[in-house]
Amino acid sequence: MFVASGVDRQQLVDSMRGSTLVMTDVSVGNVGQLSADLLIATYQMERVAFFDDDAVVPIIGADAEGVVRTSLELYRGKQGVFVLQQRSALVPSKTSGFCERMCKWIHSSGFKLVLFLTSLPSSIRVDRQLADQGQQLSALCGLKGGASRARVEELGGSCWGWGDESLHHEAVALREQTDAARGLAEGCAGLGVDLCALAAFCEEGDNVADGVQMASRVCEFLGSGGGLPPPEKGFRAPASWRLMQEELARAQRVLYA
């Protein structure tokens, strides 16, 4: 499942222990993927491994710089933070098994904290969320008494426990909308791994701004001591974004000419 790429496998495994893992999934607007792209490009993370799992729809292709990319890749930053970028969806009938294998890998690798970045359709928001003018972002923590819940509350937010008896609206929504979030949260909690799911409310379209805001929240959550100090000159857009935006601008010129 886990294949090291361009680095010594044992050295890579040793560097994971005590580190933070940021994960994404394929969800509405793909906000998690966009924010992961920003983190990888801004902090110049190197690809150190990829995953070969039949639960992930296989894709392969070259990016804007001609580098071959696959559906599930692991990146490592100099700051001791890892990002697992997922570029294709999970096979619905195999999601449960994938989450189980992933939780076991996370536990055996010794990650101290997992941030799972996802998104939910804004149409399911309730009244109090509609009144909020900022980004709609909710946090759900799988481990009771974990450091992630304390950190969210320290930043002035509310973190809803996945296993709470009276689940909050966000917890119910996230559990119903994405099987991956549920499987990873429950699996990691069972193994004593602190996982915090950050879910942004959005709609399909140009979600670059949503991705930037979520990336900012990740940096704020981890802080300078957690390995990702806020970028001094803002986030760096990856080359793939520039290529995509150029193609979009060209299509619009043709359409409205």
Side-chain angles (χ1 to χ4, degrees):
M1 180 181 181
F2 171 73
V3 182
S5 176
V7 297
D8 179 75
R9 179 183 176 87
Q10 187 57 51
Q11 186 273 337
L12 173 60
V13 171
D14 292 341
S15 68
M16 293 178 185
R17 301 198 178 279
S19 299
T20 295
L21 174 66
V22 179
M23 299 181 63
T24 67
D25 75 339
V26 177
S27 53
V28 58
N30 291 329
V31 178
Q33 290 178 316
L34 293 173
S35 60
D37 275 346
L38 287 169
L39 295 175
I40 292 169
T42 301
Y43 296 98
Q44 300 180 327
M45 297 184 177
E46 62 171 336
R47 182 178 61 181
V48 292
F50 63 89
F51 288 79
D52 181 16
D53 195 292
D54 65 357
V56 185
V57 176
I59 62 168
I60 187 170
D63 63 13
E65 297 176 340
V67 179
V68 176
R69 302 297 182 187
T70 60
S71 52
L72 195 60
E73 297 180 329
L74 182 68
Y75 292 81
R76 178 176 61 185
K78 299 176 182 177
Q79 302 80 8
V81 175
F82 289 79
V83 174
L84 182 60
Q85 177 65 296
Q86 182 178 334
R87 297 189 175 90
S88 63
L90 297 176
V91 178
S93 62
K94 298 183 178 182
T95 299
S96 177
F98 171 81
C99 291
E100 182 179 350
R101 291 189 294 275
M102 187 57 66
C103 288
K104 289 181 179 179
W105 172 75
I106 290 171
H107 180 256
S108 64
S109 298
F111 287 108
K112 68 174 182 179
L113 173 66
V114 179
L115 287 182
F116 182 74
L117 311 182
T118 187
S119 46
L120 298 169
S122 59
S123 58
I124 67 174
R125 291 175 297 174
V126 295
D127 290 345
R128 63 175 178 77
Q129 293 163 334
L130 292 171
D132 187 353
Q133 298 302 312
Q135 183 185 35
Q136 305 288 323
L137 190 66
S138 295
L140 297 102
C141 305
L143 188 64
K144 290 185 177 181
S148 63
R149 182 178 295 200
R151 178 58 176 163
V152 170
E153 294 174 349
E154 179 185 343
L155 294 172
S158 298
C159 190
W160 314 107
W162 196 266
D164 291 349
E165 293 297 328
S166 56
L167 288 177
H168 197 267
H169 171 74
E170 286 92 337
V172 175
L174 188 55
R175 188 172 65 178
E176 292 177 350
Q177 292 288 330
T178 166
D179 291 334
R182 179 175 66 250
L184 290 170
E186 294 177 348
C188 284
L191 294 171
V193 178
D194 191 2
L195 180 144
C196 180
L198 299 179
F201 288 101
C202 68
E203 291 298 342
E204 296 284 0
D206 185 351
N207 299 101
V208 169
D210 296 307
V212 171
Q213 289 185 24
M214 177 168 275
S216 298
R217 298 296 181 273
V218 171
C219 292
E220 183 181 19
F221 183 96
L222 295 178
S224 299
L228 288 183
E232 296 181 358
K233 298 182 180 180
F235 289 102
R236 174 187 175 189
S240 58
W241 286 23
R242 294 192 294 272
L243 180 64
M244 177 182 65
Q245 291 166 348
E246 289 172 1
E247 291 296 329
L248 178 60
R250 186 178 299 110
Q252 289 175 336
R253 286 195 296 270
V254 173
L255 181 63
Y256 297 110

